Amino acid sequence: MRHLGGPTDRAISPVVGVALLLAIIIALGVVVSGLVLGLADSDPASPESRLTLQGSGCPVDLVHQQGDSLDGDRLRFQGTEDPTPLQGQQFGAGDTVAVRPTADEVTVVWQEPDDGSSYTLERLDPGDSGAVCGGVLYAGDGGALTSIETGDDTLETLPIPGSVDALGPATTDLLGDGDTDVPYVNASDAVRVAAPDGSATTLATSDDITGTIEGSKTRLATGRWSGSDPSVFFVNENHDTVYRVAEGGTPTAVATPGNNAQAVVGIADVDGDADDELVFADGSQQLRALNPGGSVDSLADGQLGSNNGIGAGALADFDGDGVHRAVGVDGSKQLKLVGAGTAAGGESTTVLTGGVARKSPATVADVDDDGTPEVVFVSNDSEKLKYVDDVGGANTVMLLTDANGDPIQRSEGTGVV
């Protein structure tokens, strides 16, 4: 008697066994991957927030509409005058902060604390809230403080008491009133802050520090460092200490660099490590960067020049990658962008012009309303203010004029901020 089904059943058995084995392997894979994914999900979730720009003038308000509270130390802004306006703060629903857009798009970047990775949290169009901020420049003029509104090229002398010997940039709300304030050193060697209406507040006098506050051939900086309140950063006449002071506080020694310090440039990431450095010019006018851990690095090709002023200018990020370079004028009166160097994770130094600039602080602002920033400097041409257009491209030098088309002349001692 033949068993018609016998051989076929035996042939199927190995196939069924293999299928069961594959099923078990797949099931185990799902379990293991679930465990792994479960461990990955145990990390803090990336924030989800809705941010908007509001206002019709400059600065405009960045508003946290809804979502997760944000750690300001992990946020970097691209396309604004200050890349870290929320440093040291928590930014939650209903909170606002003033920012000055300098480009056609403001990008808010979130940086992960562990692996240094980053992603774009929000892209905002300043056109939805108002025009891109052309910027207000400030410069010394025979001891007076003048503002230059780049949007309409109007000049105004601020009615501050006393004279101006040294300046810092108006990029930070130092008094907590919603305005960006101008720090300066007066003839009495006091650090003061001028509001847009010309009223002035004293933050520190030379009685508050060891030695005297430097007011000659120097530059001030503003911002937050190592969790500080919004502060003014300055040096003493001995050039052995960098200080900071906030409204209502007393000066605090930030660093005593081995090579001394003559001017403070600013605070930003210059070496691409996602941490901000405090950039300063040392006693021999070499640009250096103070790291959060206390070590100091030299910026490649960062030798500046000094005469009646010092060629230490603003920090700027022209390519929008979050890494900044310092605007500087060297001993040959060349205007350049000074970086930490590619070997250190930063960007290389680029010479923008030949010997056309005074050895004086220069700055960055959109002065021709094209939506991109230019480098503004005091020129060799009778201290007339000029600017470099198409930075990194044609590097065309142009004359900055007032509303009447006349040149603007300002002091090389204080430069332009």
Side-chain angles (χ1 to χ4, degrees), residues 22-74:
L22 287 174
I24 291 171
I25 292 173
I26 292 172
L28 287 173
V30 170
V31 172
V32 171
S33 63
L35 290 173
V36 172
L37 291 173
L39 290 174
D41 289 341
S42 66
D43 291 338
S46 299
E48 294 184 2
S49 303
R50 180 171 175 263
L51 310 177
T52 60
L53 291 175
Q54 297 181 5
S56 57
C58 292
V60 296
D61 288 331
L62 176 74
V63 182
H64 190 306
Q65 296 286 0
Q66 62 184 28
D68 298 324
S69 180
L70 303 173
D71 181 352
D73 288 336
R74 298 185 188 177

Side-chain angles (χ1 to χ4, degrees), residues 388-412:
V388 178
D389 195 17
D390 189 19
V391 176
N395 294 326
T396 306
V397 176
M398 307 288 290
L399 180 67
L400 186 64
T401 59
D402 62 19
N404 296 320
D406 297 324
I408 302 171
Q409 293 174 284
R410 289 299 179 265
S411 167
E412 70 172 300

Side-chain angles (χ1 to χ4, degrees), residues 370-395:
D370 65 352
T372 59
E374 288 78 41
V375 174
V376 186
F377 62 98
V378 180
S379 74
N380 278 333
D381 183 10
S382 302
E383 295 183 298
K384 295 174 184 175
L385 295 186
K386 295 186 178 182
Y387 64 93
V388 178
D389 195 17
D390 189 19
V391 176
N395 294 326

Side-chain angles (χ1 to χ4, degrees), residues 213-277:
I213 294 172
E214 180 63 277
S216 175
K217 302 181 185 180
T218 190
R219 185 183 190 274
L220 313 180
T222 62
R224 297 172 182 266
W225 176 252
S226 295
S228 73
D229 290 330
S231 302
V232 178
F233 295 78
F234 61 96
V235 301
N236 61 0
E237 282 189 351
N238 295 333
H239 296 171
D240 56 17
T241 306
V242 177
Y243 290 92
R244 64 170 173 81
V245 64
E247 184 195 21
T250 57
T252 299
V254 175
T256 54
N259 297 87
N260 295 337
Q262 184 173 337
V264 190
V265 171
I267 301 168
D269 179 16
V270 295
D271 59 10
D273 64 353
D275 289 328
D276 287 338
E277 290 79 38

